[in-house]
Amino acid sequence: MVASNIARKGMGRILDGIIKYRQTLRPALLEEFQKVATGPSPEGLLLTCVDSRVVASRITQAVPGQLFIVRNPGNLVPHHNCFRNNVTVGGECGALELACSINKVQVIVVIGHSDCKAMNLLYSIRNELKSPSKGPLEDWLRFHGRGTLEQFKKLESSSGFDRKLVFAGAQHSEDDFEAYIDPRNEFKPSDKFSQINTLEQLKNFLTYPFLKERLNRNELEVHALWTDIYKGEVYMFSFQEKTFVKIDESTYKTLALQCV
């Protein structure tokens, strides 16, 4: 038995967690693993941030075999051009093919969050982009976050951050959509930046040929979620209401009807 009164860190803490898992969760999870051992039928792919405070499987209450989960700094979706001619090989492209082309999942969800350290960094250097990058994280954010920077400039140009933004099509190429970012002005500018970034990723799914075909046939849908990690609230972007709507008992039915 692991001593509970000893604070451990690093690999020791990980090993302690595994022992606790064996003693508490393993029996129940073993039943779930056995159910999907021979034929898992995943229903969706979540693309979220690597931030250790974002635990997508918990907020969605997913069980083993239900979801693919892809994580990278800033929940960014690289444009398909990045992977053409095998110039660059990325896990995002492979995961999208595995989930959507091979396993035929029905939904892709990009999940952003408040106080995103990756987005905070990009936000902080937004006016210093002519300066040399300080490392691979900045390189990643500068390259794949260009659209986010452009959209935020438009929002920032309005005195009250209340300008309507237009994003490129998410479900179909011709279906551009409008968005009002934080219309109640509840979040700080860097969190507004994070919400913009989450929406900006949706257009890039259409750049993947194997996704575009399924999107155009309405066999696949894409959505955006955003979490306030300090309040534990989850928001869904409503294409009808043109803003992020808090998911709770009063909004659930309306939001569910907006899903294909």
Side-chain angles (χ1 to χ4, degrees):
M1 182 71 176
V2 177
S4 59
N5 61 337
I6 300 176
R8 289 155 62 88
K9 296 181 179 180
M11 192 62 197
R13 173 64 185 85
I14 292 173
L15 290 174
D16 290 350
I18 292 172
I19 293 300
K20 185 175 180 181
Y21 149 76
R22 287 181 57 82
Q23 296 169 347
T24 57
L25 294 177
R26 181 174 176 267
L29 279 179
L30 196 56
E31 293 183 15
E32 297 289 344
F33 291 145
Q34 290 171 346
K35 290 178 184 177
V36 298
T38 56
S41 300
E43 301 167 12
L45 179 145
L46 307 183
L47 195 149
T48 184
C49 186
V50 296
D51 193 302
S52 59
R53 300 166 296 176
V54 179
V55 189
S57 59
R58 284 197 179 184
I59 63 173
T60 59
Q61 291 293 285
V63 296
Q66 185 178 357
L67 297 171
F68 290 97
I69 300 179
V70 180
R71 304 180 73 150
N72 67 40
N75 46 271
L76 296 167
V77 180
H79 193 286
H80 185 256
N81 283 344
C82 297
F83 307 114
R84 288 182 177 174
N85 302 318
N86 295 320
V87 174
T88 303
V89 178
E92 295 83 8
C93 184
L96 286 169
E97 182 180 17
L98 176 63
C100 303
S101 186
I102 297 175
N103 282 274
K104 307 294 184 184
V105 301
Q106 300 175 344
V107 63
I108 305 173
V109 183
V110 179
I111 305 178
H113 66 98
S114 64
D115 192 32
C116 176
K117 301 309 182 185
M119 287 298 105
N120 289 352
L121 174 58
L122 185 59
Y123 175 82
S124 70
I125 63 171
R126 68 191 187 284
N127 298 319
E128 305 168 11
L129 298 177
K130 292 183 180 180
S131 302
S133 173
K134 296 177 182 177
L137 177 58
E138 273 197 27
D139 289 339
W140 164 262
L141 296 171
R142 288 176 183 229
F143 187 80
H144 297 295
R146 289 174 293 185
T148 298
L149 291 165
E150 292 172 4
Q151 289 281 27
F152 187 76
K153 278 185 180 179
K154 298 174 185 175
L155 183 69
E156 201 173 24
S157 67
S158 59
S159 57
F161 290 97
D162 55 0
R163 176 174 176 172
K164 176 180 68 179
L165 298 179
V166 179
F167 291 83
Q171 194 73 28
H172 304 290
S173 300
E174 67 275 10
D175 292 343
D176 291 354
F177 65 94
E178 300 174 342
Y180 291 91
I181 304 299
D182 188 21
R184 295 182 179 178
N185 200 27
E186 298 177 275
F187 300 104
K188 58 187 179 182
S190 57
D191 284 342
K192 300 178 198 293
F193 187 82
S194 173
Q195 290 190 351
I196 288 174
N197 178 69
T198 305
L199 296 179
E200 182 65 16
Q201 304 316 303
L202 301 183
K203 69 178 183 183
N204 283 339
F205 294 123
L206 282 164
T207 68
Y208 292 79
F210 57 87
L211 296 182
K212 186 175 182 179
E213 293 176 4
R214 293 195 64 209
L215 286 165
N216 286 335
R217 292 196 299 263
N218 293 319
E219 297 174 355
L220 180 67
E221 57 181 317
V222 296
H223 288 283
L225 297 178
W226 193 82
T227 67
D228 182 344
I229 61 173
Y230 293 119
K231 294 184 178 179
E233 299 288 4
V234 183
Y235 297 74
M236 173 180 163
F237 183 77
S238 166
F239 291 98
Q240 292 184 10
E241 298 188 39
K242 304 179 181 181
T243 192
F244 281 99
V245 176
K246 183 167 68 176
I247 303 171
D248 60 21
E249 290 73 14
S250 66
T251 62
Y252 166 75
K253 288 185 179 179
T254 300
L255 292 172
L257 288 173
Q258 297 177 29
C259 302
V260 176

